[in-house]
Amino acid sequence: VTKVVMVVDDDESIREALASVFEEEGYTTLLAENGRVALEQLAVAAERPCVIVLDLMMPVMDGWQFRNAQKSSPTHADIPVIVVTAAGNDRSCAIEADATLHKPLNATSIVRAVEQFCGAA
Amino acid sequence: MDDAYARSRMKRCGQVSAVVAIESADYELLVDSISDFAVVLLDPAGAVVTWNAGAERIHGWSKGEIVGQRFSVLYPKVEIESGRPARDLEAAHSSGRVEEEGWRVRKDGSRFWASVVIAALRTKRGSIRGFAQITRDLTDVRNTHELRHMVDSIRDYAVFMLDPDGHIVTWNTGAQRIKGYTREEIVGRHMSTFYPEPARLAKRPQTLLAAAARDGRVEDEGWRVRKDGTRFWANVIISAVRSDRGELIGYTKVTRDLTERKEKEELARMLAREEAARAAAQEAEARIRESEDRYRNLSARLDVILQGVADGITVQDQSGRIVYANDAAARACGLSNAAELIAASPESIAERFELLDEAGNPIPPEAVPAQRVLAGKEAEPMTARVRERATGREWWSVLKSSAVRDSAGRVELAVNIWHDMSPQRRQREAERYFARASDVLARSLDTERTFRALAELLVPELADWCAVHTFEGGVLELVALAHRDAEKVLLVERMQSRYPPKLDRSTGLANVLRTGRSELYSEITSDQVTAAAEDQQHAELLRRLDLRSAIMVPLRAHGRTFGAMTVIASSSGRRYDMMDLNVVEEIARRASFAIENARLYSEAQRAIQLRDEFLSVASHELRTPLTTLDLHLSGVIRAADRARLEQLGIEKVEQHVRKAYGQVQRLTTLISDLLDVSRIVGGHLALRPEPLELGALAREVCARFEDELARAGTPIALTVESDVFGTWDRNRIDQVLTNLITNAVKYGGQRPIEVKVEKSASFAKLSVRDHGIGIRKEDQERIFNRFERTDAARNFGGLGLGLWIVRQVSEAHGGRAIVESEPEKGSTFIVELPLDPPQRRDG
């Protein structure tokens, strides 16, 4: 049974890059380009992610909106969230996150953060 | 000669003759001793024979000296020469006796008046034996006589004697003449007869007599009464006469009739008085004439001076009537000359004007200096706004009034000076407006507030209402309105919304906005209002707004008219002139600056905000490819570090490297866009135009998007109507199309994108249509600005430079870029490029 890491980011290249890094570490990834898609995928996912790597600025449903929706969900509220943002500290502070990483980020730091919540793959 | 006196003398002489006739020796001794008479015997020839003591005393010769001499030596020389002595002897010889009075001479040659009797002495036979001559010295007698004679003969004086009681004793000719009484009538009567009743009753005669008795003499002048009752002016001297023993014997009274003199004096006095009066009158007349002349001269000169004075000068009498005015005063009252003003009634003049104080309150008539002065009060100079009721014309005057008082100190005239302060006053007022304008306009950098302050600035002092319009992008908008009567604001707003100013008019607001020039409507007639009205209701609204005078000035900045200010006078009746226009223009100029400043400030603020936002966006946009780049490269390095490269496999490594490279390209594009910003802003967007067929270029770009679009599931359709040739910068047009398609993909919601290349008479048309979220009307212009993104687009990422670059490039080619859009239905971006651009903009 592989551990699932969910990646929510509107930038396709970032989703792909993160997916490559996590998969190379042995995780399974669940990708979404915005908050709404992420909520839909969580609802239907066979495996519950051990962590959600969340971008903040996204069209349709941004990171804050997603986080609020997720916290009010009885089934997914307890999934830890790692916020990955290109914005400054001020805006990212306004979200209740289990960890926050600032872009640009490298593979080692994001993998370490994920391992903190999921353990090694 | 007095008869009684003569008779008494004759008797005495007769007595002497009898004595001489006695021939006796005893008589010789007797004769000799007589000293009172000179008794002399003469021989028949006239020689002196005897000489008695009396002869020696009277004649001065001694007996021895004279005896033997001829008696003629006793005669004065003239008598001797005339043969008088011989004639006397002959007469005595022939008639026996001669008696005469006449002058004789003493031995010492002095004369004396003598009474002489010569008697012939005859023998018994009758022959002459000699003559007896008896001589008496009559000098004293003569003196008395002469005095009597003299006194009697005095006609000019009344000389008479009074007894000690004042009864009249003697009377003379003068007394008779002066007083009219004869001697018989008056002697024995009292002197008071001559006094007028009042003096008599006052015992004036008695008083005078007492004074004369006391002092010896008294002099008096006064009226006396004649016998016939007429009066004469008398000078009276009364002297007391006393005996040797000092007893008062009586009084002499000399009265002179001074009536004539008195009358003369009186006449002279009267004449003198008359003369003096006439002289005084003449002098006075001369003085009056002189002063009249001077006054006339002065008055004429003053009039010339006063007519030349710019101040209005009037002189009012007690009733308030104007008795003098200069032309300036007449002009100020709307009359053509001073005569008209003087002819007008004070009421009719007062009715024409209204006096207002500095706060605009009416000044009561009794407070006006002229009225105060006429009421006898002090009057300070007063500054007043004078408003002509009929025309609404206004000006500032300083009213000064001073009193001209008569000799009793009563106010006779009020002299009023109306100093027209308008130019200075209005200048000051204008400066106050300017200062206030600078103050309120600088207070806010918020244009809306500035417009409001501007509208309120001149109300109510200069304007009854004021409207400010803006004219931006062909849209006229009433942005501020102030009215002295708050209720009228609604009326104006209603009219403005129902009958907005027509922009196609050749006058009024439309003209001001079009030409940027001010308009002054000094006097708005009801005909003009009717003509301007669009319909009956509009005319009614305008009529209720009571437009009298108006000024419209443009609000301009950088040579561009962005609005207008309308200043209106209604119920105040004010009538605007060039000076008001200048004031309003100056205020508009300052307001324009303030508004422009506010606009620039808000633009600057917005630019700063946009730049900050852009920096944050740029940083975000740069971080995204950098993140990807980092992840790919750090992923490879991580594998290498853990010696898992081989486990990863060459294909994965290659994939990481390619993706990393892709991000490097993406970064390059971003940085190139950023460079474009500084290039375009700095004016360095250099085009490299070349002959180009637009359809071919469009096909090329679309092909580049094919893979990406296919993955995203977004269909794209390209329509090229015909070959469209032109001379354009290939790379820049490529960039334009790329940006438009990128946006269409980004915001198109994966719905079909239509790209179309068309051609019209003069330009090529390139359009990209999506069916996405669309753009609200109010955002359509904004999205072409630098760093601008709609709120909806904010989360889509990107620098917000795409459309701005599209527009800048299009315009640099002499074309344009526009958008047609409806929210939720999609947008069509259209770029028009000149087919054969006659001139390029090379930045």
Side-chain angles (χ1 to χ4, degrees), chain B residues 130-175:
Chain B
F131 300 91
Q133 177 187 265
I134 301 162
T135 303
R136 195 171 145 220
D137 185 349
L138 285 184
T139 304
D140 289 344
V141 175
R142 167 138 186 124
N143 284 351
T144 308
H145 169 70
E146 282 196 342
L147 187 66
R148 284 180 69 96
H149 182 71
M150 190 187 80
V151 166
D152 253 357
S153 68
I154 289 170
R155 291 178 49 81
D156 295 337
Y157 296 86
V159 182
F160 51 96
M161 288 197 68
L162 307 169
D163 68 14
D165 296 328
H167 295 97
I168 292 146
V169 178
T170 66
W171 201 241
N172 78 337
T173 316

Side-chain angles (χ1 to χ4, degrees), chain B residues 716-763:
Chain B
I716 186 163
L718 172 65
T719 314
V720 179
E721 284 196 342
S722 62
D723 290 345
V724 183
F725 292 98
T727 310
W728 304 297
D729 183 320
R730 169 179 285 274
N731 290 330
R732 288 295 175 187
I733 300 302
D734 186 318
Q735 188 182 17
V736 164
L737 197 52
T738 303
N739 286 355
L740 290 178
I741 293 171
T742 305
N743 276 352
V745 173
K746 209 170 181 179
Y747 305 111
Q750 290 170 312
R751 285 183 282 271
I753 296 167
E754 294 144 35
V755 179
K756 211 184 261 183
V757 177
E758 296 163 279
K759 186 180 151 184
S760 78
S762 55
F763 53 84

Side-chain angles (χ1 to χ4, degrees), chain A residues 9-14 16-18 20-21 23-25 33 55-60 62 84-87 91 102-108 110-112 115, chain B residues 616-617 619-621 623-632 634-636 638-639 642 644 648 652 655-656 659 663 666 708 711 750 789 792 794-797:
Chain A
D9 197 310
D10 64 321
D11 189 278
E12 192 190 356
S13 65
I14 288 182
E16 282 178 359
L18 283 171
S20 297
V21 169
E23 282 163 13
E24 281 160 19
E25 291 296 321
E33 70 255 41
D55 182 25
L56 288 177
M57 289 169 70
M58 295 175 291
V60 186
D62 62 28
V84 175
T85 177
R91 290 189 74 191
H102 290 277
K103 292 178 182 173
L105 39 81
N106 61 44
T108 305
I110 189 68
V111 169
R112 198 174 290 149
E115 280 174 351
Chain B
S616 128
V617 169
S619 123
H620 180 269
E621 290 303 304
R623 277 170 213 257
T624 304
L626 274 176
T627 300
T628 310
L629 181 61
D630 198 338
L631 286 171
H632 284 301
S634 62
V636 174
R638 186 177 162 80
R642 293 158 70 183
R644 281 164 54 185
L648 194 63
K652 272 278 179 192
Q655 201 184 348
H656 276 303
K659 299 238 167 167
Q663 295 310 306
R666 192 175 160 187
E708 186 188 341
R711 271 205 308 273
Q750 290 170 312
R789 289 183 300 182
R794 209 162 292 283
N795 284 330
F796 284 88

Side-chain angles (χ1 to χ4, degrees), chain B residues 8-197:
Chain B
S8 77
R9 266 209 61 204
M10 290 303 280
K11 271 186 219 154
R12 263 191 270 168
C13 288
Q15 282 166 359
V16 171
S17 308
V19 172
V20 172
I22 300 165
E23 280 183 73
S24 158
D26 295 332
Y27 280 110
E28 269 185 56
L29 187 65
L30 176 69
V31 168
D32 203 36
S33 68
I34 292 171
S35 63
D36 287 346
F37 297 92
V39 181
V40 179
L41 285 174
L42 303 175
D43 67 11
V48 174
V49 178
T50 66
W51 194 255
N52 75 341
E56 188 170 343
R57 189 187 62 83
I58 291 168
H59 290 290
W61 300 88
S62 66
K63 195 174 179 178
E65 288 168 338
I66 198 72
V67 171
Q69 289 200 52
R70 291 187 65 85
F71 86 107
S72 58
V73 299
L74 304 175
Y75 281 79
K77 200 173 173 190
V78 285
E79 298 273 25
I80 298 166
E81 283 170 358
S82 71
R84 181 71 183 263
R87 278 202 308 280
D88 284 345
L89 283 182
E90 271 172 34
H93 184 269
S94 58
S95 59
R97 184 172 186 280
V98 169
E99 188 177 338
E100 68 153 7
E101 283 187 16
W103 290 110
R104 290 298 181 268
V105 179
R106 295 194 185 93
K107 179 192 172 187
D108 61 5
S110 64
R111 285 182 174 208
F112 65 95
W113 189 257
S115 166
V116 181
V117 176
I118 301 173
L121 297 174
R122 291 175 187 273
T123 63
K124 287 184 178 141
R125 290 176 321 220
S127 61
I128 293 294
R129 62 175 176 102
F131 300 91
Q133 177 187 265
I134 301 162
T135 303
R136 195 171 145 220
D137 185 349
L138 285 184
T139 304
D140 289 344
V141 175
R142 167 138 186 124
N143 284 351
T144 308
H145 169 70
E146 282 196 342
L147 187 66
R148 284 180 69 96
H149 182 71
M150 190 187 80
V151 166
D152 253 357
S153 68
I154 289 170
R155 291 178 49 81
D156 295 337
Y157 296 86
V159 182
F160 51 96
M161 288 197 68
L162 307 169
D163 68 14
D165 296 328
H167 295 97
I168 292 146
V169 178
T170 66
W171 201 241
N172 78 337
T173 316
Q176 186 169 344
R177 191 187 66 79
I178 290 168
K179 308 207 188 214
Y181 295 96
T182 64
R183 188 192 313 266
E184 289 72 26
E185 284 169 335
I186 198 66
V187 169
R189 288 174 68 176
H190 197 266
M191 67 177 281
S192 59
T193 308
F194 311 128
Y195 286 78
E197 181 86 17

